[in-house]
Amino acid sequence: MARYRLRLLLQEFDLPPGETLLGRSPECHVTIDDPLVSREHAKILFEGDKVILRDLGSRNGLKVNGNRLVGEVALEDGDRIRIGNQEIVFSRVTVPRRPGRPTGSLRHCRKCQTPYMAEAPLCPNCGYSPGSDDTLSGVAPVNNLDRESWSLQMQVELLDKALSLQRQPDADRVLARIAVAVDERMTAGMPLDRAQLDPAYAGAVRLSAAQGDTQWIRWLLSTAQRTGHPPGPAIVAQIAQLPTVLIDGALRHLEEAVTVLTERREALDDDEKLALEGLVSLRARVREHVARTGEGG
């Protein structure tokens, strides 16, 4: 039987025989965190050597090789499927897959939240021995909170990989998805701690430096303001290493974040107070630069 694969950003999914559901819902086989994607957006039917893509009456539809899909279409090797803001590449596997970790077969440690290979008897990070209900297949965690944490963690891993490979467009798209996920969690009142946010913040600083643009610094500062917690001291130090002329464009966001965090100073832990001091120092530096040059945003 022929074998096929889907590639979304930096992830690859082996296409199993039968039905594969694509959409925003965590219950889909391939979950796409994109507000333009319906909860159950499309379905891929794989029978024999034939693969059919079918639109499930999605609100925004989808395109194949730039053409709007009406109903269904037979997929060919190399076809590009546009779903929401994301592009999925469909390909035929022509060489045997190397042995290794199977796609989507991961275990999620209940104790330390670390993902690791399902075949491992113990968590490699903390040594916790899992029960049979700890296994996560693809994106189907135990409960909604685990599911959201898992999705955010996987997105951060994708962001780090894209940045390491210097794929700025991919990194920008992944960070946009992270921003949506973070916003949805805050709106829903779900917890977000620094261990979850700081890796995303670090990616935002790296991407801003690579792009020479302040967009993601503004997002970082706005998120810190909304959560009432600054990024870690190491993240603040990374921001401070950016050219002052770049940070100028985020001065208003920096001012607002410092104001809110200063009001909450007594509720911050020692690391957060240290980070706040770093932001105050950075604000003073940027203010001085703005006063000297007459710029800022």
Side-chain angles (χ1 to χ4, degrees):
M1 177 184 292
R3 293 179 49 226
Y4 299 95
R5 187 170 295 171
L6 303 176
R7 186 173 76 248
L8 172 62
L9 294 175
L10 302 177
Q11 290 182 300
E12 291 190 347
F13 307 86
D14 283 337
L15 194 63
E19 297 184 354
T20 297
L21 194 61
L22 287 70
R24 198 177 72 252
S25 169
E27 305 305 322
C28 291
H29 300 96
V30 177
T31 299
I32 303 173
D33 294 325
D34 187 319
L36 296 179
V37 175
S38 300
R39 290 185 61 81
E40 293 187 356
H41 199 107
K43 179 185 294 184
I44 295 179
L45 306 174
F46 177 16
E47 296 181 357
D49 287 342
K50 192 173 184 179
V51 180
I52 301 294
L53 172 65
R54 179 180 299 162
D55 186 3
L56 296 179
S58 59
R59 183 177 68 253
N60 295 305
L62 64 160
K63 295 181 178 181
V64 177
N65 300 325
N67 299 314
R68 179 87 174 195
L69 175 62
V70 178
E72 62 183 38
V73 66
L75 293 175
E76 303 289 343
D77 183 39
D79 280 349
R80 294 180 176 272
I81 304 164
R82 189 74 178 181
I83 177 169
N85 290 314
Q86 315 304 321
E87 184 175 77
I88 298 175
V89 179
F90 171 79
S91 61
R92 183 183 179 109
V93 180
T94 57
V95 296
R97 187 174 63 180
R98 296 176 182 176
R101 170 177 162 177
T103 300
S105 181
L106 296 170
R107 190 181 294 279
H108 191 238
C109 179
R110 285 185 180 273
K111 185 175 181 181
C112 71
Q113 309 303 310
T114 299
Y116 62 97
M117 292 181 63
E119 292 78 7
L122 301 173
C123 171
N125 183 53
C126 69
Y128 175 71
S129 178
S132 60
D133 61 344
D134 283 317
T135 300
L136 295 177
S137 176
V139 288
V142 176
N143 55 50
N144 287 337
L145 182 58
D146 281 347
R147 178 181 297 120
E148 295 293 337
S149 298
W150 174 258
S151 177
L152 183 58
Q153 183 173 356
M154 293 297 289
Q155 295 298 327
V156 170
E157 291 176 2
L158 280 176
L159 173 63
D160 183 66
K161 185 172 182 179
L163 288 168
S164 298
L165 295 173
Q166 299 182 343
R167 296 181 178 176
Q168 292 182 27
D170 283 345
D172 197 74
R173 284 192 290 269
V174 174
L175 193 48
R177 292 167 65 183
I178 290 173
V180 170
V182 168
D183 179 74
E184 289 178 345
R185 290 192 64 149
M186 287 191 291
T187 300
M190 299 177 70
L192 275 168
D193 57 34
R194 213 170 67 214
Q196 294 171 310
L197 286 173
D198 270 7
Y201 286 160
V205 177
R206 289 174 62 189
L207 186 56
S208 292
Q211 293 178 330
D213 184 87
T214 191
Q215 170 190 358
W216 292 113
I217 298 299
R218 296 197 302 268
W219 168 77
L220 183 161
L221 293 169
S222 295
T223 304
Q225 177 189 344
R226 289 181 64 188
T227 61
H229 294 276
I235 305 298
V236 175
Q238 292 172 20
I239 299 173
Q241 292 174 3
L242 296 174
T244 305
V245 68
L246 176 60
I247 309 175
D248 281 355
L251 177 57
R252 178 175 63 83
H253 297 76
L254 179 58
E255 295 273 14
E256 293 172 352
V258 169
T259 297
V260 170
L261 295 172
T262 299
E263 292 173 352
R264 296 194 68 258
R265 180 179 174 82
E266 295 307 314
L268 303 180
D269 62 29
D270 290 342
D271 273 355
E272 291 175 329
K273 289 178 181 177
L274 181 61
L276 176 57
E277 291 174 4
L279 290 175
V280 170
S281 176
L282 178 61
R283 180 183 64 176
R285 192 183 93 198
V286 177
R287 279 177 170 177
E288 181 182 355
H289 185 269
V290 169
R292 188 169 61 250
T293 62
E295 299 175 354

